[in-house]
Structures are given as C-alpha cells and as structure tokens.
Amino acid sequence: QPGIVLKNKNAVIVAHSRVFFEPVAYLLRREGVSAEFLSPGSDVDAVKNADIVIIAVGHENFLAADNIKNGAIVIDVGINKTPHGVVGDVDAEAVRSLDGFITPVPGGVGPVTVASLLANTAAAVARRP
C-alpha cells in the first residue's frame, strides 16, 4: 500500500517453525521493522501490540479481531478448506472492521508466491551454463 511507512514498526510472525520465520524476519528487518516469532501454542496476547501480524498456522480463524490491534497490517498466509470454502488463519470478516489492512484468502499471498517461484526458476535457468 503506498504511503505506509514500515520503519520502526513491530511485527509478530505466528508460525509452526522458524524455517518460515527467519526469511520473513530478515526481509522485515531490512525495512527497519522489529520481528518476533510466536508459535501457535504460545500466548497470542503478544499479537495485540503488533503493528504487523503475519500468520501461517493452518488453523481456521486462529486469530480473532480481539487479538489484533486496531490499524494493524495483517498478512494471512493460511489456507484452510472448509465446507463453506477456503478461509485463512484469521477471522477476516471480524478483522475487516478494524482500521487496518488484511490480505484476502484466497487470492492474497498465493499469487505472489507463484510469481516469485516462477521468477526464481527463470533466474536459475538463466544462470545455468
């Protein structure tokens, strides 16, 4: 989103593994954002103070609106198939009432992941001898 300054914001990344956390935290830190790892079994109260929440736990509606700070940027990486369709790890309908941003599920980070994979594959092929 144009006009959003990331520098000096704090992020909480909720994930099962540091394998997901480390590269994301690296990219955030390059932009001046502090990043904290939180496993799904931890107390999610730490999320309430985060300016940026990134979640990838694979659990439908894991975070509710009362877990998220008003005005937060929420990046929902979760994909959960339900009888009502595909939903993320965040209760998106409730979070939309907050004065922030939330990625849609489906259609949020998935297309970015696919585009990055294709770009990296093309770059790797171009480097082949």
Side-chain angles (χ1 to χ4, degrees), residues 6-65:
L6 296 178
K7 190 174 177 119
N8 298 321
K9 293 204 182 303
N10 66 313
V12 171
I13 301 168
V14 185
H16 288 287
S17 166
R18 287 190 166 274
V19 171
F20 178 82
F21 167 76
E22 292 297 338
V24 174
Y26 171 77
L27 293 171
L28 289 169
R29 289 178 182 136
R30 278 190 358 192
E31 298 299 320
V33 176
S34 65
E36 176 184 352
F37 174 75
L38 195 67
S39 70
S42 303
D43 183 6
V44 294
D45 280 345
V47 174
K48 289 181 182 179
N49 297 318
D51 300 309
I52 302 167
V53 177
I54 301 172
I55 183 165
V57 297
H59 188 281
E60 170 188 357
N61 296 330
F62 184 79
L63 289 179

Side-chain angles (χ1 to χ4, degrees), residues 41-101:
S42 303
D43 183 6
V44 294
D45 280 345
V47 174
K48 289 181 182 179
N49 297 318
D51 300 309
I52 302 167
V53 177
I54 301 172
I55 183 165
V57 297
H59 188 281
E60 170 188 357
N61 296 330
F62 184 79
L63 289 179
D66 62 349
N67 298 118
I68 297 172
K69 173 179 166 178
N70 192 42
I73 298 167
V74 180
I75 301 173
D76 190 346
V77 184
I79 296 289
N80 305 287
K81 293 180 182 176
T82 73
H84 306 293
V86 176
V87 299
D89 293 339
V90 177
D91 182 355
E93 290 306 313
V95 170
R96 280 192 185 93
S97 67
L98 302 175
D99 189 26
F101 300 94

